[in-house]
Amino acid sequence: MTKKIIALAIAAAASAGALAQSNVTIYGNVDMGWMYRSGDNGAVVPSKSQRAVQSAGSLSHIGFKGTEDLGNGIKALFDLQYRISPDIGAGMNQAGHQFIGVTGGFGTVVAGYLDGLRYGIYGKYNPFGNYSVGNFASLTTQYDRASNALAYVSPAFNGFTLILATATNTQGDEGSLNGVHTVGGVANGGNNGDDRLFSANLIYANGPLSVDLDYETTKAVGYSNSRLYVLTGGASYDFGPIKVSGVYDVIKGDPNSLIGGNIDLDAATPGNQNLGGLAAGQEYDRRNWFIGAEMPFGKLKALASYGQVKDRTLNDANARKWAIGARYSLSKRTELYADYAQIRNDDNAGFTINPMGNSLGLSGVGVKGFAMGMKHSF
């Protein structure tokens, strides 16, 4: 099961580029770079440094999207995206978002495997996005996408847009999650154990100002004390010489929620292997925040960010991360990049450098990371 947490976004689903198409469009991104990771502190044990050639500044992917005019101002739309790994020749072996829907004057409705709202806010307001050694999302528990999902995007009104989303089970087929709960007494079958989601994201965009406010909650079907709550706010303002941005995030989960202590995601390993490193019966309770800045200098753009994870359940389990980087545009679609990041863990925190923003930062390498490379979008 993917180790990520909450949200549902449809973000690019209703982009003007997608809606303007009457035929299938092939799009994507190819990124190759060199990455070096090393170091230890907190609960990260000393280990060998690692050098890797891989996608290091953005996620490599390919997708197929299109629309069909149904008449009366209504269009059908679809988008099928797949991750690719050009470093090892693996292609289309893992899905990105996948959906079908309709759009018109009433807004847009889509259903399928949808991008996460909260995850999208992290990527929108962090200068490094959600894929880079500098990303901040990897230190937080994320669902980058939700299965079995349905979302509605309203038309823009005076700069405001509303997204409402729900999912019958955010992780896999319905009825497949009951086994991760360690509290007995709930029989297998039906929808028991399903991680049901409801989320609402209010967006305001007006010139240089952008603001997002997102509320999300899930509940495990058949279980008491199984609520998860997320409240996330993000904002940015482009002053011209500098663009500043930031996110503040509250995430809490009852013991029987998918991020609580009564969850075991790996039955083969002794103890409860859950997303927060919690003991049985413990609640998940964290505050995450970061600030960022982007400074353009012609074709060159400098990036910087700083953020913290504050754990309110476990002692001495906080972490801080800072990052600096640069982007150089060779064209509208081709870019060179270089990033450096460093994490400082408290004694009981074990966050590591991982370019993937959905990884909880515990499956990476080291606490210092450098990456440089090239990307091309099409």
Side-chain angles (χ1 to χ4, degrees):
M1 163 174 181
T2 46
K3 296 183 177 180
K4 357 176 189 153
I5 214 170
I6 226 151
L8 241 188
I10 145 186
S15 67
L19 300 184
Q21 301 300 318
S22 58
N23 299 311
V24 176
T25 298
I26 301 175
Y27 69 93
N29 182 72
V30 181
D31 181 307
M32 283 300 296
W34 181 83
M35 182 169 59
Y36 175 78
R37 294 175 289 177
S38 65
D40 61 89
N41 57 48
V44 178
V45 299
S47 62
K48 291 185 176 181
S49 60
Q50 184 184 86
R51 296 162 178 81
V53 175
Q54 65 171 78
S55 297
S58 60
L59 183 67
S60 292
H61 63 272
I62 188 169
F64 310 87
K65 64 183 179 182
T67 64
E68 181 186 15
D69 192 341
L70 302 178
N72 298 316
I74 299 176
K75 294 181 180 180
L77 61 87
F78 73 92
D79 195 338
L80 305 174
Q81 186 185 98
Y82 300 89
R83 299 175 183 177
I84 57 176
S85 300
D87 55 325
I88 58 174
M92 302 177 69
N93 58 350
Q94 186 176 3
H97 57 241
Q98 312 262 295
F99 60 79
I100 188 171
V102 293
T103 185
F106 55 85
T108 301
V109 178
V110 294
Y113 185 50
L114 301 183
D115 293 330
L117 286 176
R118 174 174 173 259
Y119 187 70
I121 290 173
Y122 269 74
K124 178 179 179 179
Y125 292 108
N126 191 287
F128 299 91
N130 282 339
Y131 195 104
S132 160
V133 296
N135 87 78
F136 190 78
S138 64
L139 273 67
T140 64
T141 308
Q142 295 277 350
Y143 291 168
D144 61 351
R145 292 177 182 85
S147 303
N148 314 299
L150 175 69
Y152 167 74
V153 184
S154 75
F157 180 75
N158 290 336
F160 288 96
T161 302
L162 177 66
I163 303 177
L164 301 175
T166 187
T168 52
N169 184 23
T170 64
Q171 306 293 320
D173 292 333
E174 288 86 350
S176 64
L177 274 184
N178 201 40
V180 305
H181 291 268
T182 60
V183 174
V186 179
N188 290 325
N191 291 102
N192 283 345
D194 285 355
D195 188 47
R196 287 194 172 167
L197 166 73
F198 174 77
S199 59
N201 181 197
L202 182 63
I203 304 168
Y204 179 72
N206 186 2
L209 176 65
S210 178
V211 180
D212 276 73
L213 183 62
D214 177 51
Y215 173 77
E216 306 186 18
T217 183
T218 70
K219 186 181 188 306
V221 177
Y223 290 84
S224 59
N225 297 319
S226 64
R227 283 282 184 188
L228 178 155
Y229 307 88
V230 168
L231 182 62
T232 306
S236 66
Y237 194 91
D238 192 341
F239 292 94
I242 185 172
K243 179 181 179 180
V244 294
S245 58
V247 162
Y248 186 81
D249 180 48
V250 177
I251 176 169
K252 302 178 68 174
D254 293 337
N256 292 326
S257 70
L258 197 57
I259 60 172
N262 294 336
I263 296 294
D264 188 359
L265 301 175
D266 182 6
T269 302
N272 285 1
Q273 306 301 311
N274 51 62
L275 298 176
L278 304 174
Q282 286 188 315
E283 297 181 351
Y284 186 111
D285 190 357
R286 289 182 183 174
R287 307 294 183 271
N288 310 303
W289 66 267
F290 67 79
I291 55 174
E294 303 175 44
M295 294 154 283
F297 302 95
K299 293 183 177 182
L300 179 69
K301 181 167 63 174
L303 314 175
S305 69
Y306 176 82
Q308 293 187 358
V309 174
K310 292 184 175 292
D311 195 316
R312 295 195 172 187
T313 299
L314 304 178
N315 295 324
D316 296 322
N318 300 334
R320 295 152 292 281
K321 182 176 182 178
W322 63 267
I324 55 174
R327 303 289 182 269
Y328 185 81
S329 296
L330 298 175
S331 71
K332 288 185 177 181
R333 297 182 176 273
T334 304
E335 183 178 81
L336 302 177
Y337 61 84
D339 298 325
Y340 176 82
Q342 186 169 330
I343 298 171
R344 182 63 188 177
N345 291 297
D346 287 352
D347 289 346
N348 295 323
F351 299 102
T352 53
I353 298 291
N354 194 322
M356 287 289 290
N358 61 5
S359 62
L360 188 61
L362 300 179
S363 57
V365 176
V367 295
K368 300 175 184 178
F370 172 76
M372 59 185 297
M374 177 178 178
K375 58 166 285 190
H376 175 80
S377 60
F378 58 92

